[in-house]
Amino acid sequence: MSDHEYTPTSKVGKWFNDRLPLLTLANHLTDYPTPKNLNYWWTFGGILTFCLITQIVTGLTLAMHYIAHADMAFESVEHIMRDVNYGWLIRYIHANGASMFFLAVYIHIFRSLFYGSYKSPREIIWIIGIIIYLLMMAAAFMGYVLPWGQMSFWGATVITNLFSAIPLVGEGIVTWLWGGYSVDNPTLTRFFTLHYLIPFLILGLVVLHIWALHVPGNNNPVGIDIKKPSKDTVPFHPYIVIKDGFALLMFMIVFAFFVFYSPNILGHADNYIEANPMVTPAHIVPEWYLLPFYAILRSVPDKLLGVVAMLSAILILAVLPWLDTSKIRSAVFRPLYKQFYWILVADVLILGYMGAMPAEGLYLLIARVATAYYFLHFLVILPVLGFKEKTLPIPLSITEPVLGGSTNLAMAKNKESLDK
Amino acid sequence: MSDKKPERRDFLFTASYAVGAVGVAAVVWPLVDQMNPDASVKALASTEVDVSSVKPGNTITVLWRGKPVFIRRRTQEEISEARSVKMEDLIHPEKDEDRAKDPEWLVMLGVCTHLGCVPLNDKGDYDGWFCPCHGSHYDTSGRIRKGPAPLNMEVPKYEFVNDNTIKIG
C-alpha cells in the first residue's frame, strides 16, 4: 500500500487527497491485484461483510422497539412480531442472519483449512479471524438471551455456569457475570449492552483482517506465491467485484428461503415460552452452530476438564499455523492431507450431530471418539504429516499449468532444464 | 541497559509507573464492581415458606434469590435408602444426617451443580433427581451419584420458625 502512487485527475480531488488520502485508498481497493484463479470458495469474505452489515442494520432497528427488562423483554419481542411495521421481517432477518453468518464463516474457515491460507505469511490474518469468530459466538449467544424465552434463560444459565468450573474464583465470577444469584434482570441488561457493542468491535477487526490481507495479498487455490501485479493477477474491480456479487446473490436466495419459508426451523420452539426460573426445558441444546463444541463439552465426564476441552477445541485453531508443519499450502498438492481434511470435516459434522442428541449410550461413545479424533488431527496428524507426506510438484505460476509459460521466466527455464 | 547503574531518572520512571498503575486500578475497580449484585438484590436475602400442606413423598419448589429451592417431605423408604449408602460410594461424600437434620425434610437448592439446570423430581437411577441437561443423577438425599456434576445439590441455611414454616436464608 505504501508504494502506491496515485494522483486524482480533478483539482478538488487532488486538493482533498493531499489532506486525507481517501481516494488513494479507494484506488488501491479497486486496483488491488487479485490472483486470477480464485474460485467461488473465495467469495465468502464479501458474503461475510454483507452478513455483518445486515446484522448491524437490522439490530439497530430492532433495538428501537426492544425493551431490555426481564418483565418486558419477551412481550416486547412479541410486540415487534405483531405490531411493529415489518417488525416480523426485520426480526426474522436478524435471527436467521445469525445462522447465515455462521454458515458463511464455517465455509470461510474450512476454505482456509483446505488451501492453507493460514500459513506464513498470513498468520496474523488468520488469528484476527479466530478472534472475530470468538466475538461472533459471544454476540450470538448474548443475542439469543435477549428474547427472554425458556431457551434464552437456560442457555444463559448453562453457558455462564461454565465459568464456575474455574477453581476457587469460579463461583465469584459467575455471580459477578449475573449481577445476582441467578440469571435475572441485571444479566439481561448487561447482555443487551454487550450484544450492541460486539458487532462494532467485529467491524473494527474486519478492517484489520482486510488490511492484513492486503499486505501479502490473497492466497489462491494453487497456494503458491505469485508476482503482483502480473499475468497471474486481475484487478479487484471489476473482476472480483462481479464474481463476489454473483455469489452474494446466490447466497441471498438461500438466506431469503429461510426468512420467508421456514423462519423458525433453525430455532427452538421452547423459546416462544417466556423464561421460567423454576423449570428447565426437558431437552436443552444450543443453536446449531455451537453444537460441535457442545458435544465436546459433554463428552468429557469431568466438569472442569469438559470446559477446558471445549475452549481448547476453539483456541487450538489460533496456533494452527505452527501446528501444520508442511510448507505446501494448498491441499491440491498434498494427497494425504486432503484425505485427513475430509475426515476432519466429517468429524466436525458428526460432533455437531452428537451435540444435538442426548448425551447417553452410543451417542456419547461416538461423541467421545470424535472429540479424541478432533484433537488428534491438530496435535498429532498435522505436525507429523508435514515431515512424512510426499507432496506433488507445485506449478511455478498460476498460468503455467494452462499456458505452459510462467511470469517468472528464470524459474520456468530452470524447471525446463530440470525436466530434461 | 543492564550494565548501566540505576539513576535518579530510573527511580522517577518506576515511581511514576507505580503511581499510574494505582490510579488506573482505582478507576477500573468501580467499573468492575458495579457488575456485582447490587443492594436491592442482596436485600432479598431470606424467604419464609409454609410447608403444612406438603404430604410425605411430595416436593414443593419455591423461589429464593431467583433460584428454585426444593423442599421435600421424604418417605421412610427414601430416608432409609439415603442413610444406608456407604460413604465410599459417593462422589462428594456427605452424610444424609448432615444434609437433613430433621430426616423427614430435605431442603436444598434445586440447582444442578454441573451447569445450573433444575433437576427433575423422582427421576434417575437413584430414585432422587435427574438433570435433563447433561444427565446427572442424584439420590434421595440430593447427592450426586452419576454424571458430570461434581458436587451434591447445595443445602442452604434454613430453620424451622415453627412446625409449619421454614425460613430459608
Side-chain angles (χ1 to χ4, degrees):
Chain A
M1 230 166 123
S2 51
D3 58 345
H4 205 89
E5 292 298 332
Y6 171 73
T7 319
T9 43
S10 77
K11 244 183 159 172
V12 179
K14 193 178 174 322
W15 178 87
F16 183 86
N17 205 48
D18 286 344
R19 282 149 184 83
L20 179 67
L22 271 187
L23 294 171
T24 303
L25 178 66
N27 180 258
H28 161 81
L29 292 176
T30 48
D31 281 359
Y32 173 64
T34 317
K36 65 183 185 184
N37 59 340
L38 295 190
N39 56 33
Y40 275 105
W41 301 114
W42 258 266
T43 60
F44 282 87
I47 287 169
L48 282 161
T49 312
F50 165 81
C51 287
L52 178 61
I53 303 295
T54 305
Q55 291 306 89
I56 288 178
V57 171
T58 52
L60 278 172
T61 43
L62 286 171
M64 293 178 189
H65 305 279
Y66 171 78
I67 301 166
H69 189 282
D71 295 339
M72 288 176 272
F74 187 80
E75 227 169 280
S76 76
V77 171
E78 283 309 300
H79 162 72
I80 289 170
M81 294 301 287
R82 291 154 198 256
D83 304 336
V84 174
N85 301 331
Y86 294 104
W88 60 273
L89 177 65
I90 300 171
R91 176 164 175 263
Y92 277 155
I93 291 175
H94 195 73
N96 286 284
S99 282
M100 293 302 114
F101 207 155
F102 275 96
L103 175 67
V105 93
Y106 282 127
I107 295 173
H108 195 61
I109 290 172
F110 274 100
R111 187 270 290 155
S112 192
L113 292 180
F114 189 85
Y115 294 110
S117 302
Y118 50 84
K119 292 184 197 185
S120 174
R122 296 184 181 82
E123 301 95 322
I124 298 294
I125 313 173
W126 171 256
I127 290 170
I128 292 171
I130 296 298
I131 298 171
I132 293 173
Y133 174 51
L134 280 170
L135 284 175
M136 277 174 64
M137 289 199 276
F141 157 65
M142 291 191 208
Y144 198 58
V145 175
L146 302 185
W148 211 240
Q150 273 289 66
M151 279 294 170
S152 302
F153 185 89
W154 291 103
T157 300
V158 168
I159 301 294
T160 48
N161 260 308
L162 292 177
F163 291 92
S164 71
I166 303 167
L168 301 175
V169 292
E171 293 294 334
I173 290 176
V174 173
T175 305
W176 177 73
L177 288 172
W178 287 341
Y181 304 105
S182 63
V183 172
D184 211 330
N185 194 52
T187 326
L188 177 61
T189 50
R190 67 191 54 178
F191 275 20
F192 179 57
T193 311
L194 295 173
H195 182 70
Y196 210 119
L197 167 71
I198 291 173
F200 297 99
L201 297 181
I202 293 178
L203 189 63
L205 284 166
V206 166
V207 171
L208 294 183
H209 194 62
I210 295 171
W211 186 0
L213 168 70
H214 280 229
V215 176
N218 290 70
N219 183 30
N220 64 78
V222 184
I224 55 168
D225 291 321
I226 52 167
K227 255 179 79 179
K228 293 173 290 271
S230 70
K231 267 202 235 165
D232 279 345
T233 67
V234 290
F236 188 78
H237 182 76
Y239 297 96
I240 304 297
V241 170
I242 293 297
K243 188 165 186 163
D244 277 1
F246 178 70
L248 179 59
L249 274 177
M250 295 296 115
F251 184 80
M252 283 161 88
I253 291 172
V254 177
F255 198 142
F257 171 81
F258 280 105
V259 170
F260 292 108
Y261 291 96
S262 52
N264 288 309
I265 199 165
L266 298 170
H268 297 289
D270 277 306
N271 221 29
Y272 283 101
I273 303 168
E274 192 169 1
N276 180 357
M278 305 277 267
V279 184
T280 306
H283 189 58
I284 74 163
V285 275
E287 294 289 79
W288 67 268
Y289 40 79
L290 301 176
L291 285 174
F293 302 111
Y294 192 61
I296 290 174
L297 168 76
R298 295 195 306 183
S299 68
V300 182
D302 182 83
K303 179 174 168 177
L304 177 61
L305 292 180
V307 174
V308 168
M310 184 183 69
L311 290 177
S312 312
I314 304 168
L315 295 178
I316 204 168
L317 293 171
V319 290
L320 177 61
W322 296 275
L323 289 174
D324 187 344
T325 50
S326 175
K327 292 278 178 286
I328 305 296
R329 293 197 191 98
S330 176
V332 172
F333 305 104
R334 299 185 62 191
L336 281 176
Y337 174 73
K338 199 193 269 178
Q339 292 173 34
F340 284 115
Y341 170 85
W342 288 111
I343 296 173
L344 180 74
V345 172
D347 187 65
V348 171
L349 291 175
I350 289 169
L351 278 173
Y353 183 74
M354 294 308 144
M357 294 294 117
E360 57 198 29
L362 190 60
Y363 294 129
L364 190 58
L365 183 70
I366 296 172
R368 283 182 176 158
V369 173
T371 298
Y373 183 80
Y374 182 90
F375 287 104
L376 193 74
H377 176 89
F378 288 107
L379 293 175
V380 180
I381 295 174
L382 281 188
V384 172
L385 212 54
F387 297 108
K388 298 281 177 200
E389 186 177 33
K390 192 160 163 30
T391 55
L392 304 175
I394 55 168
L396 295 168
S397 75
I398 293 169
T399 38
E400 191 223 342
V402 187
L403 301 172
S406 169
T407 46
N408 192 333
L409 273 175
M411 279 172 83
K413 274 181 187 149
N414 185 29
K415 192 175 181 250
E416 270 166 30
S417 61
L418 284 175
D419 287 345
K420 280 172 198 166
Chain B
M1 209 168 140
S2 52
D3 51 341
K4 239 174 65 180
K5 259 187 13 191
E7 305 170 20
R8 275 157 59 95
R9 181 134 306 193
D10 294 319
F11 172 77
L12 283 173
F13 280 145
T14 308
S16 310
Y17 291 143
V19 171
V22 170
V24 168
V27 172
V28 165
W29 177 244
L31 297 175
V32 171
D33 193 42
Q34 57 83 22
M35 280 174 70
N36 272 317
D38 61 35
S40 73
V41 171
K42 282 184 188 158
L44 305 167
S46 70
T47 184
E48 290 194 5
V49 189
D50 179 11
V51 293
S52 57
S53 61
V54 185
K55 295 190 183 71
N58 279 3
T59 304
I60 59 165
T61 309
V62 295
L63 212 56
W64 172 66
R65 286 178 156 188
K67 284 179 176 167
V69 175
F70 291 155
I71 301 175
R72 184 170 181 88
R73 190 165 180 181
R74 298 191 293 184
T75 60
Q76 270 314 317
E77 298 89 78
E78 288 170 351
I79 297 169
S80 48
E81 192 181 333
R83 305 225 149 164
S84 63
V85 177
K86 280 187 234 134
M87 280 302 116
E88 54 265 34
D89 292 343
L90 294 171
I91 296 167
H92 174 201
E94 266 187 326
K95 279 194 189 135
D96 185 63
E97 286 82 345
D98 297 332
R99 292 176 58 79
K101 268 159 244 152
D102 178 348
E104 205 181 1
W105 294 97
L106 177 65
V107 179
M108 62 186 181
L109 291 184
V111 175
C112 180
T113 56
H114 182 223
L115 295 173
C117 295
V118 180
L120 303 168
N121 269 320
D122 302 318
K123 289 255 164 63
D125 298 351
Y126 296 88
D127 307 318
W129 285 265
F130 171 71
C131 183
C133 293
H134 307 94
S136 292
H137 298 255
Y138 296 88
D139 66 13
T140 56
S141 185
R143 292 173 298 200
I144 178 66
R145 302 299 294 275
K146 198 170 116 185
L151 299 172
N152 302 334
M153 280 193 263
E154 189 186 335
V155 176
K157 212 178 116 206
Y158 71 94
E159 58 182 8
F160 276 88
V161 183
N162 55 49
D163 283 351
N164 291 330
T165 313
I166 295 178
K167 184 181 167 202
I168 305 165

